[in-house]
Amino acid sequence: MSAINGIANVNIWTGDGHVVRDTGVSVFGGRVSAIGPLSPDVPGVLDGQGGWVMPGMIDSHVHLWGARTPHPVHWVVDPRLPNALRSVADIGKILRSGFTTVREAGGPLGPSLRQVIDAGEIEGPRVVPAYLGLSRTGGHGDCHTLPVSWVREQPFMALVVDGPNNLRKAVRTVSREGGRWVKVWASGGVLSERDSPEHMHFGPDELAAIVEEAHAIDLPVGAHCESLAATYAAVEAGVDAIEHGFQLDNDVCEAMRERDVTLVSTLSVLQRYARWSGPEITADQRDDAKRLLAKAEESLATAVRHGVRVAMGSDCFAEPMTPFGRSADELGYMRDVGVDADTILRSATSVAARLVGMESKIGTVAEGAYADLLLLPADPRADLDVVINSSRITAVIKEGRRIA
Ligand SMILES: [Zn+2]
């Protein structure tokens, strides 16, 4: 990594849809100090050669626990230290592919990774961790075929908790351990052993307790919802984001827009399941994923049509099935559904920044914001592949340092 003082001769897509042409970005102390033309002859200034600058991207749904299999049994029983070291490799890949921030959506390592990355001790994107999410007994964050005491004593993804009072305490635990938002599994999911996407998890009193407790200490809540019923319940309870939202209708999208609930769209994970031919997935599971993918694509299109704020998430959680460093594939899947390029790019920048309460600091190219920047050879709105195919990114810059 080497520090830069700016980028000259570029056009800027600012992250919120604005464009500044024939300009430059000055960098000082890891932040953008000015936007305006500058000379490429100044030491430490990159010559953008007429290319484009946009904010470093944000993946709003990843799991950083170094898993190498999609099977939860392994996540509980495999030794933790090798997986922790693997996650260091995983986050390096994410950063080099143009993502300078990730929102970690449930896992034990997020706060620790955040700490060592922020201290500059290892290279990775800024981590906004949920720490362990909240799952009911037998929920999507439980591991159904192992003794429940193992899952409770060695949580891999979730605190397994039931009842409003216990959930309140769990939210306090999340905040104590460094969680910056609260993840809750409000429905079951695909690939689970004994739950299904159609299952409702947690009652209204439990969801309300989570939201009240989290909001009291300024932690946003994101609810894993794969079914329509769970989405309604979560929106009604006052969550800030719906994770996945694979089955949405017009009314729930209208409610999400009215209540300012962000959809974290994760088509990638279903795309990976639907295409995977390895032994990790049965033919039935593959067919389930294909059916759900068709609904998820329709749901995303409906949400965009209703003006719901959409943030992109890859839901990468285990190599090799859901590879790290390929988050931007999600942008291509959104394009395939017919989402316009500006909305797609905002989903990886300004919308995601707002979701984590950092809209003036990340996801934007503006004076005072972190100098998290991508230098590109072309306008990403006209040629989205310039960010999807990370080998085309000319430079990834995080807090004013060019990543090798
Ligand atoms: Zn996830």
Side-chain angles (χ1 to χ4, degrees):
M1 289 201 295
S2 59
I4 65 158
N5 294 320
I7 309 174
N9 298 327
V10 286
N11 308 292
I12 301 173
W13 182 80
T14 60
D16 56 6
H18 294 107
V19 165
V20 188
R21 289 191 185 271
D22 302 322
T23 186
V25 183
S26 299
V27 174
F28 183 76
R31 305 231 178 194
V32 172
S33 55
I35 290 175
L38 73 162
S39 164
D41 300 330
V42 175
V45 170
L46 302 178
D47 187 348
Q49 301 182 324
W52 284 73
V53 163
M54 67 171 272
M57 292 186 286
I58 303 161
D59 186 337
S60 289
H61 194 122
V62 301
H63 297 275
L64 304 172
W65 53 36
R68 292 295 179 267
T69 140
H71 294 302
V73 167
H74 286 277
W75 305 342
V76 179
V77 301
D78 282 357
R80 295 300 166 97
L81 283 174
N83 277 359
L85 296 170
R86 289 182 183 115
S87 76
V88 174
D90 296 341
I91 55 170
K93 287 189 203 170
I94 294 174
L95 177 62
R96 290 191 293 278
S97 70
F99 287 79
T100 47
T101 302
V102 294
R103 179 170 169 268
E104 215 277 348
L109 297 177
S112 304
L113 288 167
R114 177 188 174 96
Q115 188 182 335
V116 292
I117 290 167
D118 284 357
E121 291 162 325
I122 61 171
E123 196 174 77
R126 188 176 297 99
V127 178
V128 182
Y131 183 57
L132 299 166
L134 313 183
S135 168
R136 76 200 269 276
T137 297
H140 196 50
D142 194 349
C143 185
H144 308 150
T145 49
L146 290 177
V148 71
S149 61
W150 294 16
V151 184
R152 286 187 204 275
E153 279 160 28
Q154 298 200 74
F156 63 98
M157 173 159 97
L159 298 163
V160 177
V161 190
D162 305 281
N165 281 345
N166 292 331
L167 286 161
R168 284 181 191 278
K169 185 172 177 192
V171 170
R172 295 172 192 186
T173 302
V174 164
S175 107
R176 183 195 182 277
E177 298 300 324
R180 297 299 177 110
W181 63 287
V182 174
K183 164 74 178 286
V184 51
W185 281 270
S187 82
V190 280
L191 285 206
S192 238
E193 297 153 301
R194 290 176 188 163
D195 66 50
S196 109
E198 302 306 325
H199 292 173
M200 280 280 279
H201 290 177
F202 292 125
D205 55 334
E206 291 174 307
L207 290 173
I210 293 166
V211 170
E212 185 184 61
E213 198 68 35
H215 285 179
I217 49 174
D218 293 332
L219 297 183
V221 179
H224 167 115
C225 296
E226 297 193 28
S227 73
L228 181 60
T231 307
Y232 268 111
V235 170
E236 188 61 36
V239 304
D240 304 278
I242 297 294
E243 314 290 318
H244 313 299
F246 290 149
Q247 304 187 68
L248 306 177
D249 67 4
N250 288 314
D251 288 347
V252 89
C253 286
E254 204 46 37
M256 287 173 72
R257 190 191 56 76
E258 271 170 22
R259 296 179 182 214
D260 200 10
V261 178
T262 301
L263 170 66
V264 180
S265 178
T266 62
L267 299 177
S268 298
V269 69
L270 295 177
Q271 288 278 4
R272 311 273 192 239
Y273 291 175
R275 290 157 191 244
W276 191 254
S277 55
E280 289 86 350
I281 290 200
T282 65
D284 281 352
Q285 287 174 321
R286 202 157 39 240
D287 289 344
D288 285 350
K290 281 181 189 159
R291 268 192 296 276
L292 202 51
L293 176 60
K295 290 178 182 173
E297 291 179 333
E298 205 180 304
S299 297
L300 173 60
T302 305
V304 171
R305 209 165 49 239
H306 280 268
V308 175
R309 255 184 260 277
V310 177
M312 62 74 63
S314 64
D315 202 5
C316 52
F317 65 92
E319 296 258 2
M321 226 180 77
T322 63
F324 294 91
R326 299 287 302 275
S327 298
D329 287 352
E330 183 73 20
L331 308 182
Y333 297 137
M334 293 171 81
R335 177 179 58 190
D336 294 345
V337 175
V339 182
D340 64 283
D342 201 74
T343 302
I344 291 172
L345 289 165
R346 284 175 200 239
S347 80
T349 53
S350 54
V351 174
R354 190 171 177 276
L355 178 60
V356 295
M358 295 182 73
E359 57 267 40
S360 62
K361 292 184 181 149
I362 61 173
T364 178
V365 182
E367 210 179 301
Y370 286 123
D372 291 359
L373 308 166
L374 304 183
L375 176 58
L376 308 169
D379 181 349
R381 298 169 305 166
D383 181 5
L384 200 58
D385 289 314
V386 84
V387 288
I388 295 173
N389 178 358
S390 62
S391 68
R392 292 186 65 197
I393 300 176
T394 310
V396 177
I397 294 143
K398 185 189 165 208
E399 291 184 33
R401 293 183 163 272
R402 184 173 182 174
I403 308 306

